[in-house]
Amino acid sequence: MAAALALHQSSSWLSAMRAPLARMSLAAAFLPAFLAAPKPFSWAMPALPSLLELFPPWLLAVPKKKTSHSRKAMRSANKGLKDKENLVHCQSCGSPKLAHNMCPKCYRELNISWKAKNRSADPSGITVF
Amino acid sequence: MKHGVAFRKLSRTSSHRMLMLRLGKKGDLPAFRRATGFLLDQTMVPKLFSDLATRYADRPGGYTRVHKFGNRPGDNAPHAILELVDNPRDLRFQMTARAVGWELLGKRVGQGDPKALVKTGIPDIVDVIEQEKTVPPEGRGELRSVTRKNLQKVLKFRGVGAVEEMSRIAEDHVVSRPSHIPGGVGTPFLQDTVLAQPLALKEIVAAKQEKKEKHAAYAGIRLKAGQTLPGGQRSTLHLAQGDLGRENPGRWQWFTRRKLGVDQTSVWNQL
């Protein structure tokens, strides 16, 4: 406790702790400075050195230990790539393809043959078969 | 007029296209003015009002077709191919014709002598297509019900010469031989059409034996991963694994799903 006081000398939220115990209420010990000391009512906003004052220190989350390799691996157990189940045979070449999609092998073959036909029939490249 | 497009933009593109095609069918002056006002490429307007209007004269709507085509590599966006129905490069027509050839071949490979098939091919494709046109949806025919449905749909508004064209595509897909083989028709870019491969291998094997090279004659047909021959029975995963795919002998063969168009290599090794 004394060590903590030594370290946090300027901390406003602990300034309430330094006041004689008899004068303080229990609630005031856990409030930030601007709320602890009784003040007459005014419309002005209280002066806040930082917003972190709204959070007592034991609310600021921080990891306690480095996540172990095993725990990290367990967490990513479900994150693997999922197998594709929608594989079927192409009706015209029999090779595997995605269901309800165009067979890339057949489409490639067709394109090649059409382009070859275009080139041989019309070298200028105007007509399209 | 075919483009690869990102799938999400499709509905807008296709509705504009369909509107233009409806105007083309109408054919009167106000329609012409509207079409001219909308289209950026003015050379397409006469085409719209002559070729496309005659092509879709009997068809009540449904002038465009969407083919899903996987995902784009850069951003994994779903990709699609948009096409005008019944155009000279109609994808569905091409795929259906090829499917007809593939299925018939697969069926006959199981039934009879593959050697004879290699020589004769499938001479009665036209008859089969004509017959399948008339079979009702619940009925049975030589083809699978899905293929028959597709066949009937693509042939419905195609007009004269459609059956002939379909049979020609099917035969070319299945039977044609590359030009380096004597008597070959030759599509120089399609090196490994279905029946050409065993023939080509036979030639190579015979030539090697003549020259008496050190390496022994090649025992069978080596297929690449994902490649099959008609009349086979391997699953897609097995095909995709290629040589690493494991055979399922014994009890497992009763649980594997047998489908037309999946590889049955042992048949082709007998050639």
Side-chain angles (χ1 to χ4, degrees), chain A residues 112-128:
Chain A
I112 287 170
S113 69
W114 289 327
K115 284 176 183 173
K117 217 159 110 187
N118 276 348
R119 243 176 283 131
S120 60
D122 177 20
S124 66
I126 295 170
T127 49
V128 169

Side-chain angles (χ1 to χ4, degrees), chain B residues 252-269:
Chain B
W252 280 109
Q253 66 179 315
W254 304 113
F255 299 109
T256 54
R257 206 171 155 197
R258 285 150 203 270
K259 286 176 83 171
L260 265 182
V262 192
D263 156 74
Q264 192 181 17
T265 328
S266 54
V267 170
W268 294 98
N269 282 340

Side-chain angles (χ1 to χ4, degrees), chain A residues 11-13 31-34 47-56:
Chain A
S11 170
S12 54
W13 106 278
L31 290 173
F34 71 89
L48 271 179
S50 109
L51 275 173
L52 287 170
E53 284 204 11
L54 293 169
F55 298 103

Side-chain angles (χ1 to χ4, degrees), chain A residues 89-90 92-96 105, chain B residues 102 192-195 197 221-236 238-240 259-265 268:
Chain A
H89 297 103
C90 171
S92 77
C93 66
S95 57
K105 215 172 166 181
Chain B
W102 179 273
D192 48 4
T193 46
V194 171
L195 278 182
Q197 205 184 16
I221 295 160
R222 182 157 286 170
L223 297 171
K224 295 177 186 167
Q227 193 182 2
T228 81
L229 293 169
Q233 282 152 13
R234 292 195 293 167
S235 68
T236 49
H238 191 184
L239 286 174
K259 286 176 83 171
L260 265 182
V262 192
D263 156 74
Q264 192 181 17
T265 328
W268 294 98

